[in-house]
Amino acid sequence: MNGHEMDTGAMTGLPRHFTAEERTQIRAALLAHKEFNGLSAREIGLGISKATDTTLTEEAGRKRIERFLNDANETEDKFVGAIANYLNQVTPPDMEESAIAFAQLLILSYEVGTNLTALTGRYQTYIRPLQLAQPQSVWADVATVSTEAWSRPRREFETAYAIVTMTPMEKCNALKVTDAVTNVALNDDIDFFAKNPAAIANNGVLAPFGPSGFLMITRSLIETRMYRLVRVAENPVKLRGHLTLSGLQASFNRRADLQPFDPDYEVELIKVG
């Protein structure tokens, strides 16, 4: 359903149990975010209401944030999940300077003149599960290996994931990226983009990387997203590749057999503006 939009908010629930260690990590990230930006507990509560599907009054939000930061009593998992969703959409301080430095580290001398103009614009981003590789059987010469699981038609890119915007950077031949994840919960049933999505845009960078390819990195306070992309179409521009998630949410969403730099999903970006 590429290009389809509905006027509804993003679903961002995290139905899970948070360990004591995870709660400590989330509390530390929230406290750092609060102090750096000079935010009150009331303002953070309002931010959580806007960025997630959690409804809070100003007073209730203030009290629950204060209790969580003070570790006064056990905060329910649902609300800890709402805080994690909020932090997962907040860009770290000085992200643009870090993005420039990272891009300059990546770009090789022969890529300095790569024309990235055609890539600037707004994209709708979709994900789909990874295609399993067909196993190599040592008994292939004496037995028939069923290939049914690997010969099924591929799923389309139907799961809506994020709105990505790319703009030029003045200090290097790279693009500044804003990455508003509208489907933080990675819900397979969400196949649309809200007209006014409840999502905060993170910052990052896209730079040339490898033969005809690009590497795009975006950061939130508790997650890094790495996109390895190639251009597969021109009108409209379409980028396709793999998405690797690293951080608190990835720790309980990704398959246990994957290594840190293995992709979690195939990804497709379609330019829409």
Side-chain angles (χ1 to χ4, degrees), residues 116-195:
L116 301 176
T117 303
L119 298 185
T120 60
R122 180 173 176 267
Y123 294 78
Q124 290 181 340
T125 303
Y126 297 83
I127 57 175
R128 71 181 179 190
L130 293 173
Q131 174 79 342
L132 295 175
Q134 184 171 343
Q136 300 297 315
S137 173
V138 296
W139 305 104
D141 55 341
V142 296
T144 301
V145 179
S146 172
T147 60
E148 180 183 356
W150 297 273
S151 60
R152 295 171 184 164
R154 293 303 319 279
R155 280 182 54 178
E156 298 294 330
F157 282 100
E158 295 178 330
T159 301
Y161 176 64
I163 299 293
V164 169
T165 303
M166 304 185 197
T167 55
M169 301 184 85
E170 294 182 0
K171 298 181 180 180
C172 65
N173 188 38
L175 298 180
K176 177 182 177 181
V177 176
T178 59
D179 177 14
V181 177
T182 59
N183 184 5
V184 178
L186 303 170
N187 187 333
D188 291 341
D189 295 328
I190 297 180
D191 57 4
F192 55 84
F193 292 94
K195 290 181 180 179

Side-chain angles (χ1 to χ4, degrees), residues 127-133 149-150 154-155 157 228 241-244 254-255 257-259 261-267:
I127 57 175
R128 71 181 179 190
L130 293 173
Q131 174 79 342
L132 295 175
W150 297 273
R154 293 303 319 279
R155 280 182 54 178
F157 282 100
R228 283 162 285 186
H242 294 92
L243 168 63
T244 300
R254 76 190 326 247
R255 285 174 17 208
D257 61 312
L258 295 177
Q259 298 300 310
F261 287 99
D262 288 342
D264 294 282
Y265 295 94
E266 292 184 51
V267 64

Side-chain angles (χ1 to χ4, degrees), residues 53 62 87 174 184:
D53 61 355
R62 178 188 67 79
L87 293 174
V184 178

Side-chain angles (χ1 to χ4, degrees), residues 109 197 224:
S109 58
T224 298

